[in-house]
Amino acid sequence: MSDVPERWSRASVYPDMWADPDEDPRNSGGASPDGELATLQDFLSGYRLALRMKCEGLEPAQLACRSVPPSTMSLLGLVRHLAEVERDWRNWILPGDPAPKLYGADDGDFEGAVAEQELVEGAFADLAREQAATDAVLDGYPDLGARVGRDGNSVRELLVHRIEEYARHCGHADLLRERIDGRVGQ
């Protein structure tokens, strides 16, 4: 008997996808947004939703399941990491002393991702709060060319880098989820 789960999908039209297009909440069915800012925000929103989708229906032990040794990566760790990343982006933009790390130094976002329901709920609450706070700061800069923060990064650069961060980690989430229960990514 193998510990390797069998690959599966809920999709029927495209059985190698996470969900059929008409059931995928990331598909609005309408035209794509107009303008660069709206397009960037739409992509960021889509990747954020993809991460939540990869975590849906899993128990704390599954969310805390690590990939392969020596990696500390887990779906729960990714949620915590992205909450930390959102805070870091905001720290780069806002003047003054940076807000403290959420999960401690070094690899605390991943190392501390343990199978406890309260910790899972806290991680998702942290992520939602940090996303909203960073979005609120960036909403104050509708000009994508505006230079912000200590390093003078453009708002465009910050948005694109956030999209890149989520996209990269959604790829990790695909593999982690498939490792947990065999559900294929998209």
Side-chain angles (χ1 to χ4, degrees):
M1 177 150 225
S2 172
D3 288 340
V4 178
E6 188 172 323
R7 296 183 87 221
W8 67 282
S9 171
R10 289 203 176 119
S12 58
V13 176
Y14 302 106
D16 62 337
M17 297 177 84
W18 184 264
D20 287 329
D22 58 342
E23 295 178 4
D24 190 334
R26 296 168 295 180
N27 294 343
S28 65
S32 61
D34 290 330
E36 185 180 5
L37 177 59
T39 299
L40 292 171
Q41 290 170 332
D42 187 57
F43 270 85
L44 180 59
S45 175
Y47 281 118
R48 286 173 168 176
L49 179 54
L51 178 70
R52 287 193 309 272
M53 290 168 63
K54 302 304 174 178
C55 296
E56 285 177 353
L58 296 177
E59 299 295 323
Q62 292 172 306
L63 289 167
C65 180
R66 298 208 173 152
S67 60
V68 293
S71 176
T72 58
M73 190 178 296
S74 66
L75 286 169
L76 181 56
L78 287 175
V79 170
R80 290 164 50 102
H81 172 71
L82 287 165
E84 197 78 78
V85 166
E86 289 283 354
R87 179 171 279 206
D88 285 344
W89 290 121
R90 202 168 59 258
N91 280 337
W92 290 359
I93 300 167
L94 295 174
D97 292 334
K101 294 277 191 188
L102 289 169
Y103 308 111
D106 302 323
D107 203 24
D109 41 3
F110 288 102
E111 283 289 347
V114 297
E116 297 172 5
Q117 185 63 39
E118 187 175 310
L119 191 133
V120 169
E121 291 169 6
F124 280 97
D126 288 346
L127 180 59
R129 181 191 66 245
E130 296 301 320
Q131 288 171 338
T134 303
D135 289 348
V137 170
L138 285 173
D139 285 348
Y141 300 97
D143 176 5
L144 291 172
R147 298 287 175 172
V148 297
R150 292 180 288 276
D151 296 335
N153 295 317
S154 72
V155 172
R156 178 182 293 103
E157 179 182 353
L158 294 173
L159 282 168
V160 169
H161 199 17
R162 287 168 78 204
I163 293 166
E164 178 270 336
E165 184 87 20
Y166 278 90
R168 183 166 40 97
H169 290 314
C170 281
H172 294 134
D174 281 341
L175 295 172
L176 287 161
R177 180 64 188 252
E178 191 170 354
R179 168 92 167 83
I180 291 165
D181 68 358
R183 185 148 184 206
V184 296
Q186 178 171 342

